[in-house]
């Protein structure tokens, strides 16, 4: 579960990015976060995995109260949340296998368990046959599938994605969306900031619209709205 109460965020330069947000997202939900550029969508989701801290208010993720979370416990929080970015953020000098294995190595899993788990998630994203490839040998869609595999390898309860289809062509974007749907169908909560109007209006989910740092709309099977 994701819960925010009276959350505000002012950046050090004085920009008020989040201006009072209250929200509850239940386990297993699939939520789109929409709104114009600069509305605060990225800031909203970055606060969920502690990439940014709120200036005030309360955030609870998977039962962890972020306001009292010690820095030393942030890695533990991050392991319960998978994050996917627009620009993939794969490590260029590591193979596909190693990029996905990395998160398991840092928690000291045995090589045997790592191998099994990594090949399982690569199979899910249909890239097992490219396990030995490097990121620059893959198409954009394939790189995003690797980053999705990496984000779910720890079995996170929550998956957060910031414009995951922003760099992909329409067909590839749909493939990636079907993967997110499949992961969501297996019980993982998905929160996705997106500008993809066609996807939001076709693959209907809960829509949270953010404008000027506030939630201006929250609908169960919502529409994208009038944003570019
Ligand atoms: P969106 O994702 O909807 O485009 P953001 O959350 O990125 O919106 O930005 C919200 C506001 O906060 C914008 O005015 C943006 O310029 C500002 N902002 C975002 N990140 C920072 C930062 N690190 N420092 C200062 N201002 C920022
Ligand atoms: P797309 O049409 O999806 O953008 P590409 O044309 O980039 O895909 O690549 C087609 C196939 O060739 C993909 O499976 C990709 O992994 C593979 N490929 C692309 N570039 C390289 C490369 N430099 N080395 C090895 N395989 C590559």
């Amino acid at each position: 579960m994701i819960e925010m109460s009276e959350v505000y965020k002012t950046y050090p330069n004085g920009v008020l990015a989040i201006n009072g947000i209250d929200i509850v997202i239940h386990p297993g939900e699939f939520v789109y976060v929409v709104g114009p550029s600069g509305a605060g969508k990225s800031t909203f989701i970055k606060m969920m995995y502690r990439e940014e801290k709120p200036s005030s208010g309360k955030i609870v993720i998977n039962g962890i109260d972020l306001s009292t979370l010690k820095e030393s416990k942030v890695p533990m929080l991050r392991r319960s949340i998978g994050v996917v970015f627009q620009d993939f953020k794969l490590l260029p000098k590591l193979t596909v296998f190693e990029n996905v294995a990395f998160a398991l190595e840092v928690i000291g899993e045995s090589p045997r368990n790592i191998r099994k788990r990594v090949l399982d998630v690569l199979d899910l994203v249909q890239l097992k046959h490219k396990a030995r490839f490097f990121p620059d040998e893959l198409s954009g869609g394939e790189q995003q599938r690797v980053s999705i595999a990496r984000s779910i390898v720890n079995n996170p309860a929550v998956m957060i994605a910031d414009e995951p289809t922003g760099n992909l062509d329409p067909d590839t974007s749909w493939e990636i969306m079907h993967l997110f749907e499949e992961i969501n169908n297996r019980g993982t909560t998905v929160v996705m900031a997106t500008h993809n109007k066609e996807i939001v209006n076709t693959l209907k989910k809960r829509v949270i619209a953010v404008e000027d740092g506030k939630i201006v709309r929250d609908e169960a099977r919502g529409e994208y709205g009038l944003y570019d």
Side-chain angles (χ1 to χ4, degrees), residues 1-2 24-30 189 206:
M1 175 140 106
I2 298 170
V24 174
I25 297 172
H26 294 103
E29 279 197 89
F30 194 129
T189 309
R206 180 175 176 189

PDB file of all heavy atoms in Angstrom, residues 1-2 24-30 189 206:
ATOM      1  N   MET A   1       0.832  -1.201   0.000  1.00  0.00           N
ATOM      2  CA  MET A   1       0.000   0.000   0.000  1.00  0.00           C
ATOM      3  C   MET A   1       0.869   1.255   0.000  1.00  0.00           C
ATOM      4  O   MET A   1       1.929   1.295   0.615  1.00  0.00           O
ATOM      5  CB  MET A   1      -0.883  -0.013   1.249  1.00  0.00           C
ATOM      6  CG  MET A   1      -1.695   1.244   1.398  1.00  0.00           C
ATOM      7  SD  MET A   1      -3.346   0.916   1.970  1.00  0.00           S
ATOM      8  CE  MET A   1      -3.219   1.473   3.649  1.00  0.00           C
ATOM      9  N   ILE A   2       0.393   2.258  -0.719  1.00  0.00           N
ATOM     10  CA  ILE A   2       1.082   3.546  -0.788  1.00  0.00           C
ATOM     11  C   ILE A   2       0.131   4.586  -0.213  1.00  0.00           C
ATOM     12  O   ILE A   2      -1.023   4.671  -0.632  1.00  0.00           O
ATOM     13  CB  ILE A   2       1.415   3.902  -2.259  1.00  0.00           C
ATOM     14  CG1 ILE A   2       2.352   2.854  -2.861  1.00  0.00           C
ATOM     15  CG2 ILE A   2       1.986   5.317  -2.369  1.00  0.00           C
ATOM     16  CD1 ILE A   2       2.546   2.985  -4.369  1.00  0.00           C
ATOM     17  N   VAL A  24      -4.298   7.340  -1.453  1.00  0.00           N
ATOM     18  CA  VAL A  24      -4.089   5.951  -1.053  1.00  0.00           C
ATOM     19  C   VAL A  24      -4.121   5.101  -2.317  1.00  0.00           C
ATOM     20  O   VAL A  24      -5.034   5.216  -3.129  1.00  0.00           O
ATOM     21  CB  VAL A  24      -5.186   5.463  -0.073  1.00  0.00           C
ATOM     22  CG1 VAL A  24      -5.019   3.977   0.208  1.00  0.00           C
ATOM     23  CG2 VAL A  24      -5.137   6.249   1.231  1.00  0.00           C
ATOM     24  N   ILE A  25      -3.097   4.272  -2.501  1.00  0.00           N
ATOM     25  CA  ILE A  25      -3.062   3.310  -3.605  1.00  0.00           C
ATOM     26  C   ILE A  25      -2.982   1.926  -2.985  1.00  0.00           C
ATOM     27  O   ILE A  25      -2.068   1.634  -2.206  1.00  0.00           O
ATOM     28  CB  ILE A  25      -1.865   3.589  -4.548  1.00  0.00           C
ATOM     29  CG1 ILE A  25      -2.017   4.986  -5.191  1.00  0.00           C
ATOM     30  CG2 ILE A  25      -1.758   2.496  -5.609  1.00  0.00           C
ATOM     31  CD1 ILE A  25      -0.803   5.448  -5.985  1.00  0.00           C
ATOM     32  N   HIS A  26      -3.963   1.095  -3.292  1.00  0.00           N
ATOM     33  CA  HIS A  26      -4.056  -0.218  -2.646  1.00  0.00           C
ATOM     34  C   HIS A  26      -3.211  -1.266  -3.362  1.00  0.00           C
ATOM     35  O   HIS A  26      -2.921  -1.124  -4.551  1.00  0.00           O
ATOM     36  CB  HIS A  26      -5.524  -0.659  -2.591  1.00  0.00           C
ATOM     37  CG  HIS A  26      -6.353   0.202  -1.705  1.00  0.00           C
ATOM     38  ND1 HIS A  26      -7.219   1.160  -2.194  1.00  0.00           N
ATOM     39  CD2 HIS A  26      -6.412   0.284  -0.354  1.00  0.00           C
ATOM     40  CE1 HIS A  26      -7.785   1.788  -1.176  1.00  0.00           C
ATOM     41  NE2 HIS A  26      -7.311   1.275  -0.048  1.00  0.00           N
ATOM     42  N   PRO A  27      -2.867  -2.342  -2.639  1.00  0.00           N
ATOM     43  CA  PRO A  27      -2.084  -3.407  -3.261  1.00  0.00           C
ATOM     44  C   PRO A  27      -2.788  -3.949  -4.507  1.00  0.00           C
ATOM     45  O   PRO A  27      -4.004  -4.155  -4.506  1.00  0.00           O
ATOM     46  CB  PRO A  27      -2.018  -4.489  -2.177  1.00  0.00           C
ATOM     47  CG  PRO A  27      -2.217  -3.758  -0.905  1.00  0.00           C
ATOM     48  CD  PRO A  27      -3.138  -2.614  -1.218  1.00  0.00           C
ATOM     49  N   GLY A  28      -2.025  -4.131  -5.580  1.00  0.00           N
ATOM     50  CA  GLY A  28      -2.565  -4.712  -6.804  1.00  0.00           C
ATOM     51  C   GLY A  28      -3.166  -3.718  -7.767  1.00  0.00           C
ATOM     52  O   GLY A  28      -3.544  -4.102  -8.876  1.00  0.00           O
ATOM     53  N   GLU A  29      -3.239  -2.445  -7.381  1.00  0.00           N
ATOM     54  CA  GLU A  29      -3.795  -1.454  -8.301  1.00  0.00           C
ATOM     55  C   GLU A  29      -2.821  -1.143  -9.442  1.00  0.00           C
ATOM     56  O   GLU A  29      -1.610  -1.338  -9.303  1.00  0.00           O
ATOM     57  CB  GLU A  29      -4.106  -0.143  -7.567  1.00  0.00           C
ATOM     58  CG  GLU A  29      -5.416  -0.159  -6.813  1.00  0.00           C
ATOM     59  CD  GLU A  29      -5.875   1.245  -6.467  1.00  0.00           C
ATOM     60  OE1 GLU A  29      -6.587   1.866  -7.285  1.00  0.00           O
ATOM     61  OE2 GLU A  29      -5.520   1.724  -5.377  1.00  0.00           O
ATOM     62  N   PHE A  30      -3.361  -0.637 -10.532  1.00  0.00           N
ATOM     63  CA  PHE A  30      -2.568  -0.128 -11.654  1.00  0.00           C
ATOM     64  C   PHE A  30      -2.996   1.317 -11.834  1.00  0.00           C
ATOM     65  O   PHE A  30      -4.166   1.591 -12.093  1.00  0.00           O
ATOM     66  CB  PHE A  30      -2.854  -0.939 -12.925  1.00  0.00           C
ATOM     67  CG  PHE A  30      -1.870  -0.726 -14.043  1.00  0.00           C
ATOM     68  CD1 PHE A  30      -1.283  -1.818 -14.666  1.00  0.00           C
ATOM     69  CD2 PHE A  30      -1.519   0.535 -14.485  1.00  0.00           C
ATOM     70  CE1 PHE A  30      -0.360  -1.651 -15.710  1.00  0.00           C
ATOM     71  CE2 PHE A  30      -0.607   0.716 -15.512  1.00  0.00           C
ATOM     72  CZ  PHE A  30      -0.023  -0.381 -16.128  1.00  0.00           C
ATOM     73  N   THR A 189       1.624  -4.013  -7.539  1.00  0.00           N
ATOM     74  CA  THR A 189       1.052  -2.679  -7.725  1.00  0.00           C
ATOM     75  C   THR A 189       1.911  -1.932  -8.748  1.00  0.00           C
ATOM     76  O   THR A 189       3.131  -1.974  -8.664  1.00  0.00           O
ATOM     77  CB  THR A 189       1.095  -1.898  -6.392  1.00  0.00           C
ATOM     78  OG1 THR A 189       0.526  -2.714  -5.370  1.00  0.00           O
ATOM     79  CG2 THR A 189       0.349  -0.584  -6.483  1.00  0.00           C
ATOM     80  N   ARG A 206      -6.943   3.161 -13.318  1.00  0.00           N
ATOM     81  CA  ARG A 206      -7.116   4.358 -12.494  1.00  0.00           C
ATOM     82  C   ARG A 206      -6.194   5.465 -13.007  1.00  0.00           C
ATOM     83  O   ARG A 206      -5.033   5.205 -13.322  1.00  0.00           O
ATOM     84  CB  ARG A 206      -6.768   4.025 -11.044  1.00  0.00           C
ATOM     85  CG  ARG A 206      -6.904   5.201 -10.093  1.00  0.00           C
ATOM     86  CD  ARG A 206      -6.663   4.756  -8.666  1.00  0.00           C
ATOM     87  NE  ARG A 206      -6.687   5.854  -7.727  1.00  0.00           N
ATOM     88  CZ  ARG A 206      -6.340   5.756  -6.444  1.00  0.00           C
ATOM     89  NH1 ARG A 206      -5.957   4.579  -5.959  1.00  0.00           N
ATOM     90  NH2 ARG A 206      -6.393   6.790  -5.648  1.00  0.00           N
TER      91      ARG A 206
END
